[in-house]
């Protein structure tokens, strides 16, 4: 096992000698002796040539290599200088192997290794909870790595009571300009559009409702409060299942059922609310098929998961092959 | 100035004494003597009580406080133990002041401070390029901080040549199952939906086109390749401005103009392509007003920016107040 250690990590050994780091040596021995074979069996190992000293990584089908520093076999107390040399040698080997990208998954507890990676050209790709993912493009020409999520998704619900012709609107508490708008808010990760609309309407107003259709999509870049990202805002048509208002006083100043025709006419609203009120009024008078996008759940080809597809209603005769 | 330093940073001084860190002392003096007044004038300072030792931060209208460690006056060589004490005291004071959240902006070069922040409960909110943003909820009840972007946005273009009734389709090179689909790809940050469709169609096929309408929206969670995030996929109807195909051989195996009726019938396609081909055929035969969402640029109320709003065409008589 000592031979394996010295074959795979001669430069680390060199560093050990220089730095007399008993701590690192112990960690490396732990990594190699106890669990290296296990770690290796789970990874497609890079640099099998005995002259190389390369971080074990997984190769993806796009020609990138990913190293997870939160792997339980990665020595938690590796010195920054040892990591610097190891990363340098790994990058050299990955370039020889024709890898086009390197990815590092770094737990927040190993934050001190981030500046080492940055000195080799890595930057943050994204970070969530207790882990950051860094990337480095090593291919020819410009960086072709996929970016991280660029949009937050907000959903509003236009709850229309068809019997009375009234629609549920709120005034935000925290805005300087009080204007009627449809209740809504940001989607949670993994939440369907219709589910966000129903949840947000209930949380803000106390009114229960069910999804009917998608009415409108808005895209806005440099959206305030989106941390430099863009905003996709969807407005749904909902049907009320209850009518009593118990609005959230932390978020709303007022909450009322008001006539749809009145909302479509008033100046005390936002441009988008006014426009959607007019659209909703058109559908209310002429038929909702004039304004609705219906939703259908369909199977994804490769993942085996399902997705929601929204578009104009298609006559049944066209749906059949 | 030495008095100011000791008034604001007595605990740091205490640490200096213990650690005999001449380096940190020099940095702190630089921070305080050279530019503290400048830094302070740009921030709403927390903890003006002389017994407190608090990181200078900006307070937002939601009651959170943000400290930017990439500020040029923040001492770059602060020790982790000194930062630990300073952050501990800052958090104590912010809680006294009723702050509901704390945000830390940390440059990648200061990555070693991340584990210190994590030990106080901070987690990654997001990270891009050379900077991470950490957050800590200090209010009552569950975390009410807004999340970061949750969706990548992809756009496909269905380029229909009305004269011939043919539509432009490709087969991906990297998929195991070859199926005709509309060319498309991920939006760049800040890029409008229609612009992505036109750009991606040109990059993949060499065909120039212009945006006509939005046809469909798909939402898929746990999307493969989206780093655990969701995918919003929009399909646009485009009109060709050129017809000669020069397809990207890196991305595509084949690229052709094929009859819309044939695409709507064939099994050699994906479920979503088949469905949209049928929708497009319906619009081609019965009028595109049956299937289109039109787009309009409208002004945002608070930011002074503009957004793109998509919905069914609204009769002019309804658009006027």
């Amino acid at each position: 096992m000592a031979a394996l250690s010295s074959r795979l990590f001669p430069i680390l050994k060199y560093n050990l000698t220089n730095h007399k780091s008993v701590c690192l040596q112990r960690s490396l021995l732990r990594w190699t002796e106890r669990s290296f074979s296990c770690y290796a069996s789970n990874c497609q190992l890079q640099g099998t040539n005995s002259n190389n000293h390369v971080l074990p990584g997984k190769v993806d089908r796009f020609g990138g290599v990913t190293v997870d520093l939160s792997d339980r076999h990665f020595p938690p107390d590796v010195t920054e200088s040892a990591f610097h040399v190891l990363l340098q040698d790994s990058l050299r080997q990955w370039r020889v192997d024709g890898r086009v990208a390197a990815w590092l998954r770094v737990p927040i507890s190993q934050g001190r290794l981030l500046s080492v990676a940055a000195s080799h050209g890595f930057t943050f790709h994204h970070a969530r909870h207790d882990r950051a993912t860094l990337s480095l493009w090593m291919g020819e020409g410009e960086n072709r790595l996929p970016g991280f999520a660029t949009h937050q998704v907000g959903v509003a619900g236009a709850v229309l009571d068809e019997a009375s012709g009234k629609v549920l609107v709120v005034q935000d508490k925290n805005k300087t300009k009080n204007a009627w708008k449809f209740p809504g808010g940001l989607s949670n990760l993994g939440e369907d559009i219709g589910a966000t609309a129903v949840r947000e309407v209930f949380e803000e107003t106390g009114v229960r409702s069910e999804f009917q259709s998608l009415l409108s999509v808005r895209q806005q870049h440099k959206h305030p409060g989106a941390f430099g990202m863009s905003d996709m805002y969807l407005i749904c048509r909902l049907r009320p299942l209850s009518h009593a208002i118990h609005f959230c006083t932390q978020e709303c100043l007022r909450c009322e059922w008001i006539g749809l025709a009145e909302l479509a006419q008033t100046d005390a609203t936002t441009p988008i609310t006014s426009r959607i009120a007019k659209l909703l009024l058109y559908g209310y008078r002429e038929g909702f098929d004039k304004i609705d996008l219906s939703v259908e759940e369909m199977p994804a080809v490769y993942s085996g998961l399902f997705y929601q597809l929204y578009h104009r209603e298609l006559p049944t005769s066209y749906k059949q092959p």
Side-chain angles (χ1 to χ4, degrees), chain A:
Chain A
M1 263 308 169
L4 175 64
S5 170
S6 81
R7 184 169 69 81
L8 282 161
F9 302 104
I11 288 199
L12 282 174
K13 268 198 94 176
Y14 168 77
N15 266 284
L16 295 183
T17 314
N18 280 350
H19 293 109
K20 303 193 193 317
S21 165
V22 174
C23 177
L24 172 60
Q25 192 159 35
R26 201 185 60 233
S27 297
L28 278 173
L29 286 174
R30 203 163 56 216
W31 193 17
T32 52
E33 287 183 285
R34 275 223 314 261
S35 44
F36 184 80
S37 62
C38 162
Y39 190 48
S41 71
N42 289 323
C43 300
Q44 181 173 344
L45 272 173
Q46 303 306 294
T48 47
N49 183 317
S50 64
N51 291 323
N52 297 326
H53 329 96
V54 176
L55 287 160
K58 284 183 183 170
V59 176
D60 59 48
R61 66 190 179 97
F62 302 105
V65 56
T66 300
V67 175
D68 190 348
L69 304 188
S70 67
D71 187 284
R72 64 192 176 90
H73 305 303
F74 185 82
D77 40 12
V78 63
T79 64
E80 283 148 75
S81 57
F83 183 67
H84 173 82
V85 174
L86 185 55
L87 190 55
Q88 183 173 276
D89 278 26
S90 300
L91 287 167
R92 188 181 298 130
Q93 184 60 46
W94 293 334
R95 286 195 164 95
V96 168
D97 295 341
R99 303 291 167 234
V100 298
W103 301 83
L104 293 179
R105 292 187 183 148
V106 185
I108 198 167
S109 59
Q110 291 283 20
R112 66 205 166 77
L113 302 181
L114 292 173
S115 57
V116 177
S119 74
H120 289 283
F122 282 87
T123 53
F124 284 116
H125 184 271
H126 65 276
R128 293 187 72 217
H129 305 314
D130 61 355
R131 197 170 74 165
T133 297
L134 308 190
S135 64
L136 174 67
W137 174 251
M138 301 190 295
E140 287 181 13
E142 62 176 331
N143 181 347
R144 291 204 309 273
L145 295 178
F148 190 65
T150 53
H151 285 66
Q152 66 177 23
V153 168
V155 188
V159 189
L160 176 63
D161 179 35
E162 293 181 47
S164 66
K166 289 190 173 181
V167 67
L168 185 65
V169 285
V170 296
Q171 286 186 3
D172 277 347
K173 195 175 180 184
N174 292 320
K175 303 281 185 176
T176 48
K177 188 176 167 183
N178 291 324
W180 290 115
K181 45 179 285 196
F182 300 117
L186 291 180
S187 273
N188 297 325
L189 181 61
E191 189 178 44
D192 291 337
I193 291 165
T196 304
V198 166
R199 176 182 57 75
E200 282 286 342
V201 164
F202 179 70
E203 288 177 4
E204 282 191 33
T205 71
V207 171
R208 296 197 178 272
S209 62
E210 66 180 8
F211 176 85
Q212 300 294 108
S213 70
L214 176 64
L215 294 177
S216 179
V217 175
R218 182 195 70 178
Q219 185 184 41
Q220 188 177 2
H221 305 300
K222 295 179 182 169
H223 187 77
F227 306 96
M229 299 290 105
S230 299
D231 179 85
M232 194 78 82
Y233 181 70
L234 303 112
I235 304 178
C236 300
R237 183 167 71 82
L238 306 180
R239 191 173 74 86
L241 298 176
S242 71
H243 292 81
I245 289 172
H246 304 284
F247 71 91
C248 170
T249 52
Q250 282 193 313
E251 284 190 77
C252 304
L253 191 68
R254 301 167 72 188
C255 175
E256 291 179 17
W257 289 98
I258 73 170
L260 185 53
E262 182 187 340
L263 183 65
Q265 296 282 340
T266 182
D267 289 333
T269 186
T270 63
I272 192 168
T273 308
S274 180
R275 171 62 60 89
I276 301 304
K278 292 178 174 81
L279 187 76
L280 203 55
L281 186 63
Y282 172 52
Y284 184 54
R285 287 177 178 166
E286 313 277 337
F288 291 122
D289 63 302
K290 302 272 190 201
I291 62 169
D292 283 350
L293 297 198
S294 55
V295 64
E296 191 175 340
E297 191 165 84
M298 293 178 71
V301 176
Y302 301 107
S303 63
L305 299 169
F306 288 82
Y307 55 76
Q308 313 283 331
L309 186 68
Y310 302 82
H311 57 68
R312 288 301 316 290
E313 191 62 54
L314 187 61
T316 312
S317 59
Y318 276 89
K319 281 192 189 175
Q320 308 309 322

